[in-house]
Amino acid sequence: MLARTLIAALLAGMLAGLAITPVQSLKTTPLILAAEVFEDGGAPAHDHAAGLSFVTPAMAHGGEDEESATLVASRLGGTAMANMVLGAGFALLLAAASLAFDRPLTARNGAVWGLAGFAVLTLAPAMGLPPELPAMPAADLGARQAWWLMAVLCTGGGLAGLVLSRRTWQRLFGLVLIAAPLFIPAPHPAELASPIPPSLAAEFAVASLATSALFWVLIGLFSGLVLDAIRRTASPRPA
């Protein structure tokens, strides 16, 4: 059953990775490409206020259609592969948590499991370190990684205590852990100057978090559906 659970998590994660790729291509990729143009010191090919289209730097500077299409296809394929690997890893984390806490992951609660993963690994760290575009200033990498790890551990431990514990003091302690990252300042650079317009950075942060939330929900749902199918197959049939 353990091997089947691992296989189910891998399959569900890869499916979620494929499903989220078109959403990223429409919502976050155009914003990243626009930021890359600002990073190169140029102006975006289209007015940002009028809406960004799927434009690569090569397109913005009059590159040939064939070369531009190759760049788009290459970026899309790389994004899909990365999402499949990432989705598989996240699904394995959900499956491991389900087994560790002895709480079955099913199609009915899959979305809840996914939102819990989003809260721990994405939302809580984003409260101090929001998603960033290219060319945006950033603090020391080691310091940011340490704060991210602290936020994940506090939120994960607090959420587990809040949901799984029955004693009042344990639930209160869970709430304290969840709130802890809000009171510990995240590392930020001394110099905040950036060529990226604030509106573009804010739009990317919102789009990135929304896309990540959907990604996690898909991972939870697909994991629950595949695991339910495995349980039905493994259950003994009546004579």
Side-chain angles (χ1 to χ4, degrees), residues 86-179:
L86 193 61
F90 286 161
L92 286 173
L93 287 177
L94 290 185
S98 173
L99 294 173
F101 295 129
D102 195 22
R103 298 292 181 94
L105 176 56
T106 67
R108 286 189 176 185
N109 63 19
V112 177
W113 274 99
L115 288 175
F118 167 73
V120 172
L121 291 175
T122 303
L123 183 60
M127 301 299 286
L129 297 173
E132 298 174 348
L133 285 167
M136 292 183 65
D140 176 70
L141 178 60
R144 285 185 291 146
Q145 289 176 332
W147 191 91
W148 182 92
L149 182 60
M150 180 276 301
V152 168
L153 292 177
C154 286
T155 307
L159 189 60
L162 187 63
V163 174
L164 301 177
S165 300
R166 296 183 178 180
R167 297 180 179 179
T168 302
W169 73 267
Q170 290 176 332
R171 292 182 174 181
L172 290 176
F173 183 66
L175 288 175
V176 171
L177 282 178
I178 292 175

